[in-house]
Every structure is written in structure tokens, then in C-alpha cells.
Amino acid sequence: MPRENKRRGRRDEKKNEKKRKRREEAEALNGSKKQKFEDEADYVSFSGQRLNEGDGTRESVGEVREIPFYGLLNGGEQEYFKRADEMLELNQFNSAEERSLFLENVYKEADGKELKIANSQSCSRLMERLILLSTPAQLKILFQKFNGHFLNLVQHRFASHCCETLFIKSAPIVTQESTASLEEQPIRADAEIYVSMENLFLFAINELEGNMGYLMTDRFASHVLRVLLVVLSGQPLEKSPTRSLLHSRKKENVGVSGFDTRTNHLSLEKRPVPEVFQASIDKIISETVSGLDTTFLRSLAAHPTGNPMLQLLLELELSGTDKGRSKGENSILRKLLPDDPPAEGNESAPFVNGLLYDPVGSRLLEVILKHCPGKTFKALYRNLLKDRIGSLARNETAGFVVVKVLDRLNKQDLEEAAESILPQVCGLVERSRTVVIRSLIERCAIKDIDTSDIADVLNSAYGSDTQTRLPKMLKLRENQSQDAGEGDDHPLTADPGQLHGSLLAQSMLAVPGPMSALVFEGLLALPVDTILAVAENQATSRVLQASLTSPTSTAQFKRKIINFLVDKISRLATGIVGSHVVDTLWDATAGLEHYKERIANELLKNEATMRESFAGRLVWKNWMMDLFKHRKMDWIAKTKAGERGAGGAAVKSSGAKRSGIELARDRFAAAKSRNGAAKTLHSGKERKFQRR
């Protein structure tokens, strides 16, 4: 029998004894740490660690509480669920009934394995697609399977995405159940136990209560908490500001091919929710904030994960039904800004100044300025921001805070702010930072403030030469017309500089006078190739569309632009981007029927090319070209009546109220078209009779 490999000598025995003592002391120390964490009040730092009050040691949250292991799928199960995931992603079912039967079979195979699938790296996407396609009854079953495990699932890398999708998909069901009448409620069997979606959400909230402090800064759980708070508040789920708070830019969009996985129209508007949900939000905010002091909340403002959560909590607090909540001592706003009013020399001033130039913290300051009470906003603006609004507009990060400030200023303060920002406009144009300029133009137009001074500064910043002014604003290259693709293969690439320049030009077009004249003159001075490049670019084509439909546009300008484009109509109509310009020409030629008929003739000449292109077929349908081809007089009557084809239905164009003489002309044209059609039919019968 082999002997144990030992080293002889007393020194080695002493070394081994010392190692053993150090190991035992370390294990005892770790045990005391965990015991102190369980018994004493804990403190969550902005780095996601807990601070033990006894010995001052820090330990990671993830090391204190281990997430249970739910097991792995065997090889056969993984193969089946991967295949099911591929079939759902492709969505190549013959009918909706066939897809429903397939979903039922998948649910039968997944019975008892839901937690394993949600925690699986390869099969968690299947769970998300199942949730997107599930019925309300299936969602409730899955909710009950997750019940009791939400605290563990929200902290998991893959299962957290399943929880997000489940909450978002179930949100409209709560609204439907709470607003449905007794007749609309489904009939249940006597032995069936009915559980409302409202109660299922409340069960999940109760499970997460008491753990909000460290979940706020958790890498995965913080996203789920934000989704849950938005669902409870009834805010829109799919609007841009909410979407940026809920998901990161790197989030994978799991969907089903050819299937609209958006919940319904309730996702795009504020939803009615039960009153108990608002009480749950108040309880979550009070529990989250009650144990946290000003120092911790301010540290969250600069934390990449905790900052979005703090934004949402602050927004819910300030925009809730209880307007007096923000004045309480335990409110988030009062803990962040304890001084009343905030001013130079007190504790709040350094905090606000630090947020102004912080890429993460400035977003929290934007929420404060947007939703805080008017008294607090006036104190912040007059004491901390007013005197340096010009220098703040020059900064890349603080400029976005200035935009939120301009949105809430009255007319007098806005005029003073415009005078302070005007000297910085040329520098902002050189660095392509046009966000503040665009916001200033829009707010001045709303408050009916003269923008001629801003137009003069922009004219000097972009140059007085009309041929180079707009290309400089839109960042057009000299070879832009050569790079622009044709037809359906047009590359959809948008340069950020072009996008910001396009948004600036569109805001200028909405202001009558010298401001819009800068863009109109610049467009007319461009050569035809450059105008085509503008029309075929994803960002700059919006400028051309806005110039044709803007209330400040004139008939003379429209005629000149149409003359530039009419020979290239087929090329634009078959392009992904250019087709939108051709659709805009329908509204732009209202009152210019000769030009509308001229464009229709050009489209008819290239009918074969139009029908081969997807974008071309849409333009052909929107312009009612089949009617133009076979019954031209009816087409003319419809165009004069303001009708157009859109998805096969005639839609009235939105415009001013038509006068009596215009209505009389429409009736005359319609009668003339009917008489012409009757004459054509009568002459056709005569020709048939003569042939016989």
C-alpha cells in the first residue's frame, strides 16, 4: 500500500499547524459576518456591497445569498425545446389553430420544467416566445409556476428576461379584467379556482418586499423591478422615454417572425390600473427610502444600475396622485435636496453642480427639473442655473439639462435665456451640438417670441452662401449623390451628424419668416443630383418631406421642387426611403392637380418596374394607380375631393375647411366623371352591336 507523501521535520509540522489555524479563523470570521448580516440592519453601498455595522467589513450581496439551482435539462429535452424554439421563431404554421395546438403540446412537455427552461441559456428564449404567444389562461398558469421563486428568478441572468416579458405581457390583462363587466367575464366551472391577474401581481410584490434595497443595484434584478413599477403605475409600456428606462441598448429583442408581439394598443397609452397597485407603489417607495439616507441616495445618482431605478422612483413620486408626498421628510426629492430653497452656499448646491456634468447623474437631474413642483423649479433655476445658462449650453452633457430647463421657462425668462445662449450658437454649430438650438427655436415658436436674431446667427454660422448652407447643416458629402443606392437595395445608414442637422432643419421649417426661409432658399439652390441624394437619405429625406407639407411652404416652392423630381419619380418610388417622398407629394400637390396628374403619368410609364419593387407596390396602391389606369376621370374626381388610397381604403386628407365654390367644383367634376363613364359604356355597347 503506498504511503502518504510527507515531509519530515518539526518546521514543516509547525507550518501546517499555522495554516490550519488561519483556515479555522477565516471560517469563523465568515460565519460571524453572515450572522451579523442576518441579525443587524444592513447597508447597501452604491457598489452593490453590504456594510456590517459591527466590524465595518464589506461583503458582496451575491456571496451572502446563494441562488438555488433548479437542475438541468437532459439532452433529449434540450433538443426538443431548441427545435420548438426554432419553429416558433420562424412561425411557418398554416393557421392560428395549428400554432395554438403546437403551443399546447409545448406546454405539456414543459410541465414541471418551467424553472429549468427559464434558467437555461439555450432555452430561455423559448420561454420568452411562449409568453409572447400565450393566452391569458396560459400566462396565469405560468405565473403560478413562478410564484415563490420570483426573488431568485429576477436575479438570474436568463430568467430575469423571462420575468420582464411575463410582466409586460400580463399588464394589459389586469386592465381588461378590472374594466370588464360581468357579462364579459369568462364562464368557469364550479370546481375551477379563479385567480385574477391582479392577485398574481400582488403575490409577486409580496415576495419581493423587504429586498428592494439590494435589488435596486443588482445587475439583472433592477431591470425587472423597473418593469414591475411601470406596470403597477399604468404608464405606457412602449413609448420612448419609458423604453429607455426599462431596457439597455444591448437587450436582445426576442420575437416571432410575421407576428405582432406587442401586447395591444394599451401598450402605447396610459392604462387604468386597480387602486391597490398605487398603494403598492407607495409602499415600495416608502420601504425603499425609509432606511436610506441622503448620502446613499446621492451615491445612487452616479451608479449606472441604480440611477435608472432612482429616476423611475422619483418620477412616480412626483407624478403620482398624491402631490403632497414630495414635501414629506421621507420623500426622495426631499432627501436628495434637503435645503428649502436650494441655493449657493447650502448642501444642495454642490450636489446639483456635480450632476450637471456627470453623464449618468445628469439624467436624474433632468427628471427632477421636469417633474418637480413649480416652487422647487423656480428656486433651482434662479439660484443655481440662470446666471450660467449660456456656459451650460456649451457643455455636451449639461446641454441636455438646459433643454429640460427651456421646456419649463415662462416667456420672460425664455427671452433672457435666449440672449444668454445666442453668443454660444456659432460654437455649438462648429461642434455639431444642435440639441439646445433646436429646443430654443421650438420653445420660442410656442411662446410667440421673435426668432429673427437666432436666424441671423445661424445664417452667419452656416454661411450666407445658399448653395453651401444646407449641405453644411445636413453634413452632405460631395459624392453623396453617387453613394445613394437605387431601388430596394438602398442602404439604411444614418449618420448622427446628419440626424441632428435634419432635426434642426425640420424645427426651422415650422417657424414662419426668416427662420424657415433659410431652409427653403437652401433647398432651391441645390442641384438636382444633390436634391436626389437628400431624398434618398434616411435622415435628410425628412427635411424634404417637411418642406413640402409645412404650413410655411408656398405653392411656388412646391412647383420648383416637383419640377426637379418629376423625371426621377420612378427611381424614388422604388426606393425604401425615396418612396416616402413620393407619398408626401400626394399631399403636397393638393390644389396643384396638374402636377399630381403629371406624377401619376410618370408612375404609369414605369408600371413594370413599380410592380417588381415592394416599395413601388405600396406607392402604386397609395396613389390609386389602378384607378388612374382604368378610370382616369374617377381618379381625378377623387383627387379633387381630397381622397387617397391607403391600405385599400379611401382616407380624407386633413386640411382646411373647403369653401362653397370648391364643393360645387367637386360636385361638377363627380357628375362629369359619371356622365363620361356612362357615355363610354353606351359607346361600347354600340360597338358590340355593330360587330354583331
Side-chain angles (χ1 to χ4, degrees):
M1 183 175 178
R3 295 182 179 180
E4 183 182 358
N5 187 13
K6 294 183 178 181
R7 295 184 61 181
R8 299 174 63 184
R10 289 175 294 178
R11 294 181 181 178
D12 291 327
E13 292 180 359
K14 291 181 180 180
K15 288 181 181 180
N16 294 334
E17 186 68 23
K18 290 180 180 179
K19 289 180 181 179
R20 186 166 51 255
K21 289 182 179 180
R22 285 197 297 266
R23 192 182 307 112
E24 292 176 356
E25 292 175 358
E27 292 177 355
L29 182 60
N30 290 335
S32 63
K33 287 181 182 179
K34 293 183 180 180
Q35 184 66 27
K36 289 178 181 178
F37 166 74
E38 295 174 355
D39 296 341
E40 299 178 2
D42 58 333
Y43 173 82
V44 187
S45 71
F46 65 89
S47 60
Q49 295 178 337
R50 298 184 185 274
L51 179 64
N52 294 317
E53 296 180 356
D55 52 3
T57 57
R58 294 182 183 270
E59 53 188 10
S60 176
V61 173
E63 295 177 358
V64 174
R65 189 181 186 284
E66 295 182 358
I67 298 178
F69 178 64
Y70 295 105
L72 298 175
L73 299 170
N74 57 41
E77 293 171 343
Q78 283 191 354
E79 187 66 26
Y80 172 80
F81 290 128
K82 284 181 180 179
R83 178 59 181 164
D85 185 30
E86 294 175 359
M87 293 182 66
L88 288 178
E89 183 180 8
L90 296 175
N91 194 25
Q92 295 178 348
F93 299 98
N94 297 327
S95 62
E97 292 77 8
E98 183 179 348
R99 184 176 61 233
S100 300
L101 292 175
F102 180 77
L103 287 175
E104 292 178 3
N105 293 330
V106 175
Y107 266 109
K108 290 179 181 178
E109 291 292 333
D111 187 22
K113 309 180 186 71
E114 292 85 358
L115 299 177
K116 293 182 181 181
I117 297 174
N119 285 269
S120 173
Q121 180 179 3
S122 58
C123 299
S124 60
R125 294 181 183 86
L126 170 65
M127 181 61 68
E128 292 188 60
R129 291 190 176 92
L130 282 176
I131 295 171
L132 292 173
L133 298 173
S134 295
T135 62
Q138 291 171 336
L139 289 176
K140 290 181 179 181
I141 294 174
L142 192 59
F143 228 119
Q144 294 175 5
K145 296 286 186 179
F146 284 1
N147 191 22
H149 304 278
F150 276 111
L151 184 58
N152 304 321
L153 295 177
V154 298
Q155 299 179 72
H156 193 271
R157 179 176 183 178
F158 307 114
S160 60
H161 295 283
C162 300
C163 294
E164 287 183 38
T165 309
L166 180 62
F167 290 156
I168 293 176
K169 182 67 176 177
S170 303
I173 301 176
V174 177
T175 304
Q176 294 170 4
E177 291 181 349
S178 60
T179 57
S181 60
L182 294 176
E183 292 79 7
E184 296 175 350
Q185 293 181 0
I187 301 175
R188 301 180 298 274
D190 295 337
E192 182 181 356
I193 300 176
Y194 175 76
V195 181
S196 65
M197 190 62 75
E198 174 187 343
N199 291 331
L200 291 174
F201 269 105
L202 293 178
F203 292 152
I205 295 169
N206 292 333
E207 186 177 347
L208 298 177
E209 282 183 0
N211 301 282
M212 297 292 181
Y214 73 91
L215 292 180
M216 288 175 61
T217 55
D218 187 82
R219 181 180 176 186
F220 307 114
S222 60
H223 296 277
V224 185
L225 286 183
R226 287 176 238 161
V227 171
L228 184 59
L229 287 174
V230 170
V231 170
L232 296 177
S233 64
Q235 288 188 0
L237 297 173
E238 296 293 336
K239 284 192 175 179
S240 180
T242 307
R243 193 166 58 244
S244 62
L245 271 178
L246 299 184
H247 308 303
S248 64
R249 296 178 181 177
K250 299 180 180 179
K251 178 176 173 58
E252 179 184 359
N253 294 322
V254 177
V256 179
S257 177
F259 185 81
D260 188 7
T261 54
R262 294 176 301 178
T263 50
N264 51 24
H265 67 281
L266 293 174
S267 301
L268 300 176
E269 60 185 19
K270 190 172 179 61
R271 295 166 289 104
V273 294
E275 295 180 358
V276 67
F277 278 12
Q278 185 61 45
S280 299
I281 292 178
D282 297 341
K283 186 177 180 181
I284 290 174
I285 294 177
S286 61
E287 287 186 356
T288 303
V289 180
S290 60
L292 306 178
D293 57 359
T294 300
T295 304
F296 174 75
L297 285 177
R298 289 182 175 180
S299 65
L300 277 181
H303 192 273
T305 305
N307 179 274
M309 186 68 183
L310 189 60
Q311 288 183 52
L312 186 57
L313 289 174
L314 186 60
E315 182 178 348
L316 294 177
E317 179 184 272
L318 297 176
S319 61
T321 56
D322 187 7
K323 299 297 182 182
R325 188 197 309 166
S326 60
K327 300 179 182 179
E329 295 182 357
N330 290 328
S331 68
I332 300 176
L333 181 63
R334 186 57 56 199
K335 286 198 172 185
L336 290 174
L337 303 175
D339 303 299
D340 189 17
E344 288 289 349
N346 55 31
E347 186 181 354
S348 300
F351 173 65
V352 174
N353 293 333
L355 293 181
L356 281 170
Y357 303 101
D358 187 83
V360 178
S362 62
R363 296 178 180 271
L364 179 64
L365 186 57
E366 292 178 31
V367 175
I368 294 175
L369 293 172
K370 181 179 179 180
H371 297 284
C372 69
K375 181 180 178 181
T376 305
F377 173 79
K378 291 178 181 179
L380 286 172
Y381 175 68
R382 293 175 180 174
N383 297 335
L384 301 177
L385 304 174
K386 182 178 180 180
D387 296 337
R388 48 184 183 145
I389 191 76
S391 60
L392 292 176
R394 190 172 61 239
N395 186 267
E396 182 179 6
T397 302
F400 294 97
V401 180
V402 173
V403 171
K404 298 299 180 182
V405 172
L406 296 177
D407 290 342
R408 294 194 63 175
L409 292 180
N410 55 37
K411 185 174 181 180
Q412 181 180 357
D413 290 337
L414 186 60
E415 289 176 346
E416 297 175 356
E419 294 178 359
S420 302
I421 295 174
L422 274 180
Q424 313 296 335
V425 170
C426 292
L428 294 174
V429 169
E430 291 178 0
R431 294 189 291 271
S432 299
R433 297 174 185 172
T434 59
V435 179
V436 177
I437 304 174
R438 174 166 54 90
S439 178
L440 182 62
I441 294 173
E442 293 173 352
R443 297 304 302 173
C444 288
I446 293 173
K447 296 293 184 180
D448 197 16
I449 298 175
D450 185 21
T451 57
S452 57
D453 294 339
I454 305 176
D456 294 338
V457 176
L458 288 175
N459 188 21
S460 61
Y462 285 109
S464 57
D465 188 2
T466 56
Q467 293 184 349
T468 60
R469 180 194 303 150
L470 202 60
K472 184 178 179 181
M473 183 183 299
L474 300 179
K475 305 293 181 182
L476 294 176
R477 304 185 302 271
E478 295 181 358
N479 58 346
Q480 186 80 38
S481 58
Q482 299 177 3
D483 294 342
E486 299 184 12
D488 293 337
D489 296 331
H490 184 275
L492 294 178
T493 56
D495 180 32
Q498 287 183 338
L499 179 60
H500 287 286
S502 174
L503 294 174
L504 175 62
Q506 293 176 54
S507 63
M508 294 170 64
L509 285 170
V511 182
M515 185 67 69
S516 58
L518 293 176
V519 183
F520 287 130
E521 293 172 358
L523 283 172
L524 293 177
L526 295 177
V528 178
D529 293 340
T530 307
I531 292 180
L532 283 175
V534 171
E536 293 177 338
N537 184 275
Q538 186 180 15
T540 59
S541 65
R542 301 296 183 95
V543 178
L544 188 58
Q545 297 175 44
S547 67
L548 292 170
T549 58
S550 174
T552 58
S553 181
T554 61
Q556 183 181 5
F557 171 80
K558 295 176 183 178
R559 291 191 188 100
K560 291 182 178 180
I561 293 296
I562 293 172
N563 289 330
F564 289 153
L565 300 177
V566 69
D567 294 334
K568 302 292 184 179
I569 284 296
S570 62
R571 169 180 170 177
L572 293 175
T574 55
I576 298 176
V577 179
S579 60
H580 294 283
V581 178
V582 181
D583 286 336
T584 305
L585 289 175
W586 177 277
D587 297 326
T589 53
L592 303 173
E593 279 72 18
H594 171 67
Y595 285 92
K596 185 172 292 185
E597 187 175 348
R598 184 180 172 188
I599 295 172
N601 285 322
E602 288 294 328
L603 295 175
L604 186 60
K605 291 179 183 178
N606 301 274
E607 180 180 1
T609 306
M610 297 279 294
R611 293 189 180 277
E612 291 176 357
S613 170
F614 174 75
R617 291 192 294 270
L618 293 178
V619 173
W620 186 272
K621 188 176 184 179
N622 292 337
W623 274 75
M624 299 185 295
M625 290 304 300
D626 289 328
L627 183 64
F628 178 81
K629 180 180 179 181
H630 299 291
R631 300 194 306 273
K632 186 175 180 180
M633 298 305 297
D634 292 348
W635 183 87
I636 294 175
K638 285 182 177 291
T639 57
K640 290 183 178 180
E643 299 182 12
R644 68 173 299 177
V651 181
K652 288 284 184 181
S653 61
S654 58
K657 185 177 180 180
R658 301 175 68 83
S659 62
I661 187 65
E662 290 176 338
L663 294 175
R665 288 172 180 171
D666 295 340
R667 289 193 295 269
F668 176 76
K672 186 177 179 181
S673 64
R674 288 194 297 269
N675 294 335
K679 290 180 181 179
T680 304
L681 179 61
H682 181 68
S683 61
K685 290 181 178 179
E686 288 182 350
R687 286 195 296 268
K688 290 181 180 179
F689 180 76
Q690 290 174 0
R691 288 177 182 175
R692 291 178 181 175

